[in-house]
Amino acid sequence: MPDTLLNIQDIVFTYKNGGRALDHVDFAVRAGEFVALAGRNGSGKTTLTRLAMSLIKPAGGSIQFAGNGTAAMTPADMARSIGYVFQNPDRQIFRETVLKEIAYGPEQLGFSPEAINESVAWALKMTGLTELAGNFPRMLSRGHKQKVAIASAIAMRPKMLILDEPTSGQDPWEAQNLMELLTGLNQQGITIILVTHDMELIARYAGRAVVLNQGKKVFDGTPAELFDGSRNIAAWGLLPPAAVALSQQLTGIDAGNAAELTDLLGAAIKKGREQYA
């Protein structure tokens, strides 16, 4: 079995007003996994990832990375092992060219000039940004900006990459392109934690799904198990992918033409999703 990379044990995080964002959550990720973290807004997803990065500290429980406790570690310490990509790439882009933006992290970590050049070239190649190295990053498309943010993270050679809703605001082609990039990085050994509301992405790309609801972990298993119809996932703010809802309702569809088929398929998808409510 692969080694446990991130181990969050019995974690509690409490807001200043006394409300709990996370309530005794256990969350372990093994090296090489591709994990999707899902749940409605306010369920605790982003709080969990911020704890992993030591951006905030828990009220109870413990966190280890690669077997080492992180209680005394800073975000800068964690950045040596975990790359964090925000939902809005503009929050982390500030240099005048794509190349300089990607080089910033390795520079701060004290890489040698040769290592910086090697890491930047590799990150540019992996993200398909080599030809845009001299461009001003804030003038790029949303999809390309997100790739710049990912390239900046992987240039520091992390063991893990955490991404918070990286496909939001992107068209389907950009989203697919980005997910294929993450799949390629995962195949090269980078562990992926993907925070997302998109069930289609979870079904297609993730090897494991973890669901939070009201600060508690309510599911941990494969996407197939999550969407097999045996759980009321609507109670957690989720709906099954359209293809899953459709597959559960195909029996009895008998259309005479394309327009009728479209209507029947739409009704079947709606019915399949309503079964989760």
Side-chain angles (χ1 to χ4, degrees):
M1 291 290 289
D3 293 333
T4 297
L5 199 55
L6 176 66
N7 194 7
I8 294 177
Q9 296 179 309
D10 198 31
I11 209 74
V12 174
F13 184 81
T14 306
Y15 294 120
K16 291 182 180 179
N17 64 8
R20 280 194 174 179
L22 293 170
D23 189 3
H24 298 284
V25 171
D26 293 312
F27 180 66
V29 180
R30 296 184 299 276
E33 282 196 288
F34 193 130
V35 182
L37 187 58
R40 67 174 89 241
N41 289 337
S43 63
K45 304 186 303 298
T46 298
T47 299
L48 189 63
T49 60
R50 287 171 63 83
L51 284 163
M53 288 298 300
S54 285
L55 292 166
I56 54 178
K57 296 296 183 179
S62 64
I63 302 173
Q64 296 87 35
F65 189 87
N68 299 311
T70 65
M73 292 185 181
T74 67
D77 295 328
M78 298 308 300
R80 295 179 179 274
S81 299
I82 305 177
Y84 193 96
V85 179
F86 292 94
Q87 180 176 351
N88 182 357
D90 287 322
R91 291 183 59 188
Q92 56 193 117
I93 291 175
F94 63 96
R95 281 190 155 184
E96 61 269 29
T97 69
V98 169
L99 187 148
K100 290 182 178 179
E101 181 69 36
I102 297 170
Y104 179 78
E107 289 170 359
Q108 298 306 301
L109 294 182
F111 283 28
S112 69
E114 295 78 12
I116 291 172
N117 291 336
E118 181 181 341
S119 287
V120 170
W122 173 76
L124 285 167
K125 181 179 179 180
M126 286 299 300
T127 53
L129 294 173
T130 302
E131 294 184 0
L132 299 177
N135 287 39
F136 182 50
R138 287 191 175 273
M139 297 300 292
L140 300 176
S141 69
R142 176 63 177 262
H144 278 130
K145 286 180 182 178
Q146 199 63 276
K147 284 187 174 182
V148 171
I150 292 172
S152 298
I154 65 174
M156 293 184 281
R157 303 290 185 166
K159 296 178 180 178
M160 176 180 287
L161 196 58
I162 298 176
L163 306 102
D164 192 353
E165 298 285 356
T167 61
S168 65
Q170 298 186 31
D171 63 37
W173 183 87
E174 285 182 321
Q176 179 179 338
N177 190 268
L178 183 65
M179 293 305 299
E180 290 174 353
L181 165 62
L182 297 182
T183 299
L185 293 173
N186 183 240
Q187 290 171 348
Q188 291 209 11
I190 297 178
T191 304
I192 303 290
I193 298 179
L194 175 70
V195 179
T196 184
H197 285 92
D198 193 325
M199 300 299 104
E200 307 284 347
L201 298 184
I202 292 176
R204 183 172 179 181
Y205 295 102
R208 175 180 162 208
V210 175
V211 181
L212 298 179
N213 186 54
Q214 297 181 343
K216 295 179 181 292
K217 187 174 76 172
V218 293
F219 176 84
D220 188 346
T222 67
E225 291 168 337
L226 179 61
F227 302 127
D228 67 7
S230 65
R231 298 164 182 84
N232 181 16
I233 65 173
W236 305 334
L238 309 180
L239 288 174
V244 173
L246 173 60
S247 68
Q248 295 170 354
Q249 297 297 319
L250 281 175
T251 302
I253 289 182
D254 185 15
N257 53 59
E260 185 178 347
L261 176 61
T262 299
D263 290 341
L264 289 171
L265 290 178
I269 291 171
K270 181 179 180 182
K271 182 178 179 182
R273 284 183 161 176
E274 285 175 348
Q275 288 185 349
Y276 285 79

